[in-house]
Amino acid sequence: MLESLSVVIVGMIVVFLGLCILIICINILTKFFTITNKKVSSKKTEESISEEKNTTNQQIIAAPHNVDNKEIIAVISAVIAQCMPENTGFIVKRIKRTSKFY
């Protein structure tokens, strides 16, 4: 009886220590990859900001000033109609461009 009890206690201690070592290894790897990802993401952020500025400038230059808004109104109306419950009967009276994104 005493021998089986000692085997159970030794087994529980081994499992507990194994889990502690596993937790420590995972925490170390998490910190390592977090630091590595921050370095990579900061480089990507700088590159993406410069690329975004270039594409934004190209889009502004390429956009014609006299655009027929009927297609835009139709698309926006279709999206609103898709999101609304059926038979609500709405009318799009005005579309205003804004720089805020929610």
Side-chain angles (χ1 to χ4, degrees), residues 38-80:
K38 284 182 182 178
K39 290 179 183 177
V40 171
S41 66
S42 67
K43 290 179 183 177
K44 286 184 179 179
T45 304
E46 292 172 0
E47 292 173 0
S48 65
I49 289 173
S50 64
E51 288 176 7
E52 185 175 306
K53 287 181 181 177
N54 291 339
T55 57
T56 304
N57 290 338
Q58 291 172 354
Q59 289 174 352
I60 291 172
I61 293 169
H65 295 287
N66 298 327
V67 176
D68 187 21
N69 289 332
K70 291 181 182 178
E71 289 181 11
I72 296 172
I73 292 171
V75 169
I76 292 173
S77 299
V79 170
I80 293 172

Side-chain angles (χ1 to χ4, degrees), residues 3-72:
E3 185 178 323
S4 62
L5 183 63
S6 65
V7 169
V8 169
I9 292 175
V10 169
M12 290 176 71
I13 291 173
V14 168
V15 169
F16 181 75
L17 290 176
L19 289 175
C20 288
I21 292 171
L22 183 63
I23 290 170
I24 291 170
C25 290
I26 289 174
N27 285 334
I28 290 171
L29 288 173
T30 303
K31 289 178 183 177
F32 173 74
F33 286 120
T34 303
I35 292 170
T36 305
N37 285 339
K38 284 182 182 178
K39 290 179 183 177
V40 171
S41 66
S42 67
K43 290 179 183 177
K44 286 184 179 179
T45 304
E46 292 172 0
E47 292 173 0
S48 65
I49 289 173
S50 64
E51 288 176 7
E52 185 175 306
K53 287 181 181 177
N54 291 339
T55 57
T56 304
N57 290 338
Q58 291 172 354
Q59 289 174 352
I60 291 172
I61 293 169
H65 295 287
N66 298 327
V67 176
D68 187 21
N69 289 332
K70 291 181 182 178
E71 289 181 11
I72 296 172

Side-chain angles (χ1 to χ4, degrees), residues 60-100:
I60 291 172
I61 293 169
H65 295 287
N66 298 327
V67 176
D68 187 21
N69 289 332
K70 291 181 182 178
E71 289 181 11
I72 296 172
I73 292 171
V75 169
I76 292 173
S77 299
V79 170
I80 293 172
Q82 189 68 27
C83 295
M84 302 283 284
E86 291 184 27
N87 300 326
T88 55
F90 71 93
I91 298 173
V92 177
K93 292 185 177 182
R94 181 172 43 136
I95 297 173
K96 183 179 177 184
R97 185 180 301 258
T98 180
S99 62
K100 296 179 183 177

